[in-house]
Short mmCIF file of all heavy atoms in Angstrom, two decimals:
data_model
loop_
_atom_site.label_atom_id
_atom_site.label_comp_id
_atom_site.label_asym_id
_atom_site.label_seq_id
_atom_site.Cartn_x
_atom_site.Cartn_y
_atom_site.Cartn_z
N LYS A 190 54.47 -116.30 89.72
CA LYS A 190 55.20 -116.80 88.56
C LYS A 190 55.13 -115.87 87.34
O LYS A 190 56.15 -115.55 86.62
CB LYS A 190 54.70 -118.16 88.23
CG LYS A 190 55.45 -118.89 87.06
CD LYS A 190 54.99 -120.26 86.77
CE LYS A 190 55.82 -120.88 85.65
NZ LYS A 190 55.26 -122.10 85.20
N GLU A 191 53.90 -115.41 87.10
CA GLU A 191 53.61 -114.43 85.97
C GLU A 191 54.45 -113.14 86.16
O GLU A 191 55.06 -112.65 85.29
CB GLU A 191 52.10 -114.23 85.83
CG GLU A 191 51.79 -113.57 84.49
CD GLU A 191 50.35 -113.43 84.38
OE1 GLU A 191 49.60 -114.47 84.64
OE2 GLU A 191 49.85 -112.38 83.93
N LYS A 192 54.48 -112.73 87.43
CA LYS A 192 55.18 -111.52 87.81
C LYS A 192 56.70 -111.77 87.56
O LYS A 192 57.34 -110.81 86.95
CB LYS A 192 54.94 -111.19 89.28
CG LYS A 192 55.49 -109.84 89.64
CD LYS A 192 55.11 -109.51 91.10
CE LYS A 192 55.68 -108.13 91.58
NZ LYS A 192 55.34 -107.93 93.01
N GLN A 193 57.16 -112.87 87.95
CA GLN A 193 58.61 -113.20 87.71
C GLN A 193 58.87 -113.29 86.24
O GLN A 193 59.93 -112.67 85.76
CB GLN A 193 58.94 -114.57 88.41
CG GLN A 193 60.40 -114.92 88.28
CD GLN A 193 61.30 -113.93 89.12
OE1 GLN A 193 60.94 -113.37 90.14
NE2 GLN A 193 62.45 -113.64 88.59
N ASP A 194 58.04 -113.95 85.44
CA ASP A 194 58.23 -114.00 83.94
C ASP A 194 58.16 -112.65 83.45
O ASP A 194 59.04 -112.29 82.54
CB ASP A 194 57.12 -114.90 83.37
CG ASP A 194 57.24 -116.38 83.66
OD1 ASP A 194 58.37 -116.76 84.09
OD2 ASP A 194 56.28 -117.11 83.46
N SER A 195 57.23 -111.80 83.82
CA SER A 195 57.25 -110.36 83.35
C SER A 195 58.43 -109.69 83.65
O SER A 195 58.93 -108.97 82.80
CB SER A 195 55.98 -109.66 83.95
OG SER A 195 54.79 -110.26 83.48
N MET A 196 58.95 -109.84 84.86
CA MET A 196 60.23 -109.16 85.28
C MET A 196 61.41 -109.62 84.39
O MET A 196 62.24 -108.88 83.91
CB MET A 196 60.56 -109.37 86.75
CG MET A 196 59.64 -108.67 87.66
SD MET A 196 59.45 -106.93 87.44
CE MET A 196 61.05 -106.46 88.09
N ASN A 197 61.44 -110.93 84.16
CA ASN A 197 62.42 -111.46 83.24
C ASN A 197 62.27 -110.93 81.82
O ASN A 197 63.33 -110.51 81.24
CB ASN A 197 62.34 -112.95 83.17
CG ASN A 197 62.84 -113.68 84.50
OD1 ASN A 197 63.51 -113.04 85.21
ND2 ASN A 197 62.40 -114.93 84.73
N ARG A 198 61.13 -110.87 81.35
CA ARG A 198 60.85 -110.31 79.99
C ARG A 198 61.27 -108.83 80.00
O ARG A 198 61.81 -108.32 78.98
CB ARG A 198 59.39 -110.50 79.56
CG ARG A 198 59.16 -111.81 78.87
CD ARG A 198 57.83 -111.83 78.18
NE ARG A 198 56.73 -111.21 78.98
CZ ARG A 198 55.62 -111.80 79.33
NH1 ARG A 198 55.40 -113.06 79.07
NH2 ARG A 198 54.82 -111.07 80.09
N TYR A 199 60.85 -108.13 81.06
CA TYR A 199 61.22 -106.68 81.11
C TYR A 199 62.73 -106.53 81.13
O TYR A 199 63.25 -105.63 80.43
CB TYR A 199 60.62 -106.11 82.40
CG TYR A 199 61.12 -104.60 82.57
CD1 TYR A 199 60.50 -103.60 81.86
CD2 TYR A 199 61.98 -104.30 83.54
CE1 TYR A 199 60.88 -102.33 81.93
CE2 TYR A 199 62.47 -102.96 83.67
CZ TYR A 199 61.88 -101.99 82.90
OH TYR A 199 62.27 -100.71 83.04
N GLY A 200 63.41 -107.38 81.93
CA GLY A 200 64.91 -107.30 81.98
C GLY A 200 65.54 -107.54 80.55
O GLY A 200 66.40 -106.78 80.05
N ALA A 201 65.01 -108.58 79.87
CA ALA A 201 65.49 -108.94 78.50
C ALA A 201 65.18 -107.76 77.56
O ALA A 201 66.05 -107.38 76.76
CB ALA A 201 64.83 -110.20 78.03
N LEU A 202 63.97 -107.24 77.60
CA LEU A 202 63.53 -106.07 76.71
C LEU A 202 64.34 -104.86 77.02
O LEU A 202 64.77 -104.19 76.13
CB LEU A 202 62.06 -105.80 76.79
CG LEU A 202 61.10 -106.87 76.23
CD1 LEU A 202 59.70 -106.42 76.51
CD2 LEU A 202 61.31 -106.89 74.67
N SER A 203 64.69 -104.60 78.30
CA SER A 203 65.45 -103.46 78.74
C SER A 203 66.84 -103.59 78.15
O SER A 203 67.37 -102.67 77.62
CB SER A 203 65.41 -103.39 80.23
OG SER A 203 66.22 -102.30 80.66
N SER A 204 67.45 -104.80 78.34
CA SER A 204 68.83 -104.91 77.77
C SER A 204 68.83 -104.86 76.24
O SER A 204 69.73 -104.21 75.60
CB SER A 204 69.48 -106.27 78.24
OG SER A 204 68.77 -107.31 77.74
N GLN A 205 67.79 -105.43 75.59
CA GLN A 205 67.60 -105.30 74.13
C GLN A 205 67.48 -103.82 73.71
O GLN A 205 68.07 -103.45 72.79
CB GLN A 205 66.50 -106.22 73.72
CG GLN A 205 66.43 -106.33 72.19
CD GLN A 205 65.28 -107.28 71.70
OE1 GLN A 205 64.44 -107.72 72.59
NE2 GLN A 205 65.27 -107.62 70.49
N HIS A 206 66.72 -103.15 74.54
CA HIS A 206 66.50 -101.67 74.23
C HIS A 206 67.79 -100.91 74.38
O HIS A 206 68.06 -100.04 73.40
CB HIS A 206 65.49 -101.11 75.21
CG HIS A 206 65.30 -99.64 75.14
ND1 HIS A 206 65.94 -98.78 75.87
CD2 HIS A 206 64.50 -98.93 74.25
CE1 HIS A 206 65.58 -97.50 75.52
NE2 HIS A 206 64.69 -97.63 74.47
N LYS A 207 68.67 -101.23 75.31
CA LYS A 207 69.91 -100.52 75.45
C LYS A 207 70.80 -100.87 74.20
O LYS A 207 71.42 -100.02 73.66
CB LYS A 207 70.63 -101.05 76.80
CG LYS A 207 70.05 -100.34 77.96
CD LYS A 207 70.74 -100.89 79.26
CE LYS A 207 70.06 -100.35 80.50
NZ LYS A 207 70.70 -100.82 81.75
N ILE A 208 70.74 -102.17 73.86
CA ILE A 208 71.58 -102.56 72.68
C ILE A 208 71.11 -101.83 71.45
O ILE A 208 71.92 -101.19 70.70
CB ILE A 208 71.58 -104.10 72.55
CG1 ILE A 208 72.28 -104.85 73.65
CG2 ILE A 208 72.13 -104.45 71.17
CD1 ILE A 208 72.11 -106.36 73.65
N LEU A 209 69.83 -101.81 71.23
CA LEU A 209 69.28 -101.14 70.04
C LEU A 209 69.50 -99.72 70.09
O LEU A 209 69.82 -99.05 69.05
CB LEU A 209 67.78 -101.42 69.91
CG LEU A 209 67.36 -102.87 69.56
CD1 LEU A 209 65.87 -103.07 69.56
CD2 LEU A 209 67.94 -103.24 68.13
N LYS A 210 69.47 -99.10 71.33
CA LYS A 210 69.66 -97.64 71.41
C LYS A 210 71.10 -97.35 71.02
O LYS A 210 71.38 -96.39 70.33
CB LYS A 210 69.38 -97.19 72.93
CG LYS A 210 69.42 -95.73 73.03
CD LYS A 210 69.01 -95.26 74.40
CE LYS A 210 69.09 -93.79 74.57
NZ LYS A 210 68.72 -93.34 75.92
N ASN A 211 72.05 -98.21 71.54
CA ASN A 211 73.47 -97.99 71.13
C ASN A 211 73.71 -98.16 69.68
O ASN A 211 74.40 -97.37 69.04
CB ASN A 211 74.39 -99.02 72.00
CG ASN A 211 74.47 -98.72 73.44
OD1 ASN A 211 74.26 -97.54 73.79
ND2 ASN A 211 74.79 -99.64 74.15
N GLN A 212 73.03 -99.20 69.10
CA GLN A 212 73.13 -99.38 67.64
C GLN A 212 72.56 -98.16 66.94
O GLN A 212 73.10 -97.69 65.92
CB GLN A 212 72.35 -100.66 67.26
CG GLN A 212 73.05 -101.88 67.54
CD GLN A 212 72.26 -103.11 67.14
OE1 GLN A 212 71.04 -103.04 66.82
NE2 GLN A 212 72.87 -104.33 67.13
N HIS A 213 71.41 -97.65 67.46
CA HIS A 213 70.78 -96.39 66.84
C HIS A 213 71.79 -95.31 66.88
O HIS A 213 71.91 -94.54 65.86
CB HIS A 213 69.48 -96.15 67.58
CG HIS A 213 68.89 -94.85 67.16
ND1 HIS A 213 68.24 -94.76 65.93
CD2 HIS A 213 68.76 -93.62 67.77
CE1 HIS A 213 67.77 -93.54 65.78
NE2 HIS A 213 68.04 -92.87 66.86
N ASP A 214 72.41 -95.03 68.02
CA ASP A 214 73.45 -93.94 68.12
C ASP A 214 74.50 -94.18 67.18
O ASP A 214 74.97 -93.24 66.54
CB ASP A 214 73.90 -93.91 69.57
CG ASP A 214 72.81 -93.42 70.55
OD1 ASP A 214 71.83 -92.87 70.07
OD2 ASP A 214 73.01 -93.66 71.78
#
């Protein structure tokens, strides 16, 4: 369960990172 939560958080952070990277660009 913790692994799944971590993967979900990683996915959310990854998409947020892409959005922020695009905004940064």
Side-chain angles (χ1 to χ4, degrees):
K190 184 177 180 187
E191 196 173 313
K192 188 176 179 181
Q193 185 65 36
D194 289 346
S195 294
M196 290 304 287
N197 289 340
R198 275 196 315 241
Y199 175 77
L202 287 174
S203 178
S204 65
Q205 189 177 7
H206 175 262
K207 285 179 185 175
I208 291 170
L209 289 174
K210 189 175 180 183
N211 289 337
Q212 286 177 348
H213 174 73
D214 291 342

